[in-house]
Amino acid sequence: LLLTGVPGSCVCGPGETCGDDGVSCEACPVGTFKPPYTGSYMPVCDYGQCLYWGQKENVSQCVACGVNQECVTGGCDECTACQEGMGKDFVGVEPCTPCPAGSYGGGAGGCASCPPYSYTVGAGSTAQGQCLCFVEHYPSLSEAGVLSCNHCPRGAVCGDSQVCSLHDDSKGCAAANNGTVDIEGEWRRSGPTGEGPYELVSCKEGSYIHSPSHDAQECVACSPGHYILGPDKGPCRVCPAGRKCNGTRHTSEETEGSEWVEVGGELRLVSCPAGYLVHNTGASGAFDAARQECRPCGKGEEYYLDLQGDPACRPCAPGYWKSAASTAACEACPANTYRSDPGGVTCNDCAACPTYSTTGGLTAQAGVAACVCDPAFYRVSSDPPSCA
């Protein structure tokens, strides 16, 4: 900038000096600078430094560039922020360098580390989206858009490979012939934006959701001899003695006509057909769901309704017996026999009438008095009674 046209008295602006003619201005030589409105030039600041003007005119100094700043050419008037993907974490003359592998960002904000369990493909990454989760983990975003790499839930791990099927949202594991096999259950992302961690929301019939923690989520299948009434009604329950179970909600009753209801995901036996009693306790007398069944009265017993109309078992009456648990009534002692005590469990519990006596064809006799001596004989008091 030429401020005067008088030869030998030119005054030039910043970055310029008087030419040989003493009138015109020309650029300062490379490697030099000149403060405003002075007649001579001074050496330019080194690379990595910028010219700093003091409070008073013509007072200047070269200052090293700060954190995440650089000067890549000589004679900088000011330090500039690092470019994207570049950073510098100290004050010095060195230029910015690419953000190291495993970090991203750059610029005035510097480089930020990728979240745990993630990496970048080389150095110089500029955005969080260039951080890639390891294949044993999967990515999610918080409401603020912060990336996390989550441990793979147990039910989403692809076998021995330990690859997470949720890693790329495919929800599938590699199979033969370059195919994929879907993992069990329905998995859905959480959070208002639908980008949060995965949650297991349902399982196929015969399985239930096991989710004591995020990492332990999985569908657990019930084995034969167990049942489950729905995927949200786990865990698998032992099949009651009175039903047949195949590991699903489909069960069948062992005793036709028995009535069962669901209570809190569990089957409860509430009534049995005539001839049977509800049995649902263990040896201690406490309720035991696995022991539930309709049981007939045992040997030496028969079914009846008590005064309140409730089913119960009672011993076979004198003159009767029953050898096995069943719905059948007690059987009568044969003719010419008798039984004085209740609860007979075999026909041999019926005693034969004394010699030379009969019951006259009558069965179910309850005492020896029912045995009548033949016409040519009379009763003799003895132990046992006999006819003489």
Side-chain angles (χ1 to χ4, degrees):
L1 174 65
L2 181 61
L3 299 181
T4 177
V6 178
S9 62
C10 74
V11 178
C12 299
E16 295 180 327
T17 188
C18 293
D20 292 338
D21 60 5
V23 176
S24 61
C25 293
E26 58 186 36
C28 294
V30 175
T32 66
F33 80 96
K34 185 175 75 67
Y37 312 122
T38 61
S40 61
Y41 49 80
M42 300 168 58
V44 76
C45 294
D46 292 333
Y47 289 101
Q49 297 178 320
C50 66
L51 179 64
Y52 172 77
W53 290 101
Q55 297 297 321
K56 295 183 179 180
E57 187 178 357
N58 300 333
V59 178
S60 62
Q61 59 183 335
C62 292
V63 178
C65 292
V67 174
N68 296 318
Q69 292 182 329
E70 65 180 353
C71 174
V72 296
T73 62
C76 295
D77 290 334
E78 61 180 354
C79 295
T80 56
C82 299
Q83 298 179 12
E84 292 298 312
M86 310 280 283
K88 192 178 78 172
D89 59 2
F90 58 90
V91 176
V93 299
E94 290 82 354
C96 299
T97 57
C99 291
S103 66
Y104 67 94
C111 301
S113 297
C114 288
Y117 312 113
S118 67
Y119 66 99
T120 59
V121 181
S125 297
T126 60
Q128 175 183 256
Q130 293 174 279
C131 297
L132 305 175
C133 296
F134 298 144
V135 295
E136 300 86 1
H137 299 75
Y138 74 90
S140 67
L141 294 177
S142 69
E143 293 185 41
V146 178
L147 174 69
S148 295
C149 291
N150 306 276
H151 288 284
C152 194
R154 184 182 302 151
V157 175
C158 294
D160 295 336
S161 72
Q162 297 301 303
V163 171
C164 185
S165 62
L166 306 175
H167 177 74
D168 57 2
D169 292 330
S170 67
K171 305 183 184 69
C173 296
N177 302 321
N178 296 321
T180 59
V181 177
D182 291 339
I183 56 173
E184 289 191 27
E186 180 184 353
W187 299 79
R188 188 179 302 160
R189 284 193 178 274
S190 61
T193 62
E195 297 178 296
Y198 273 103
E199 294 178 349
L200 178 59
V201 296
S202 69
C203 297
K204 67 180 181 180
E205 183 177 354
S207 299
Y208 72 94
I209 298 173
H210 178 70
S211 58
S213 66
H214 169 273
D215 295 357
Q217 295 178 96
E218 64 178 333
C219 290
V220 177
C222 298
S223 59
H226 295 75
Y227 72 94
I228 183 171
L229 300 179
D232 58 344
K233 297 180 179 179
C236 303
R237 302 179 187 273
V238 176
C239 191
R243 297 194 76 83
K244 298 176 183 178
C245 307
N246 63 1
T248 70
R249 63 183 176 84
H250 299 289
T251 65
S252 59
E253 57 194 28
E254 291 277 9
T255 303
E256 185 177 355
S258 58
E259 182 182 357
W260 299 75
V261 298
E262 177 188 345
V263 178
E266 185 174 64
L267 291 172
R268 294 290 179 89
L269 175 62
V270 294
S271 68
C272 296
Y276 294 88
L277 272 66
V278 173
H279 176 78
N280 56 15
T281 59
S284 66
F287 174 79
D288 188 339
R291 293 179 177 270
Q292 297 178 98
E293 64 176 328
C294 291
R295 283 188 182 178
C297 294
K299 60 182 181 180
E301 297 179 324
E302 65 180 356
Y303 176 88
Y304 83 110
L305 297 178
D306 62 19
L307 295 177
Q308 288 73 39
D310 297 325
C313 293
R314 62 186 176 188
C316 294
Y320 291 84
W321 61 276
K322 195 175 95 175
S323 62
S326 71
T327 59
C330 296
E331 297 185 50
C333 288
N336 303 325
T337 65
Y338 67 94
R339 176 173 173 78
S340 302
D341 297 324
V345 296
T346 174
C347 183
N348 293 331
D349 287 342
C350 301
C353 284
T355 307
Y356 309 121
S357 67
T358 68
T359 59
L362 299 177
T363 61
Q365 298 306 297
V368 69
C371 299
V372 179
C373 295
D374 294 340
F377 295 84
Y378 63 94
R379 184 176 298 280
V380 175
S381 295
S382 63
D383 186 20
S386 64
C387 294

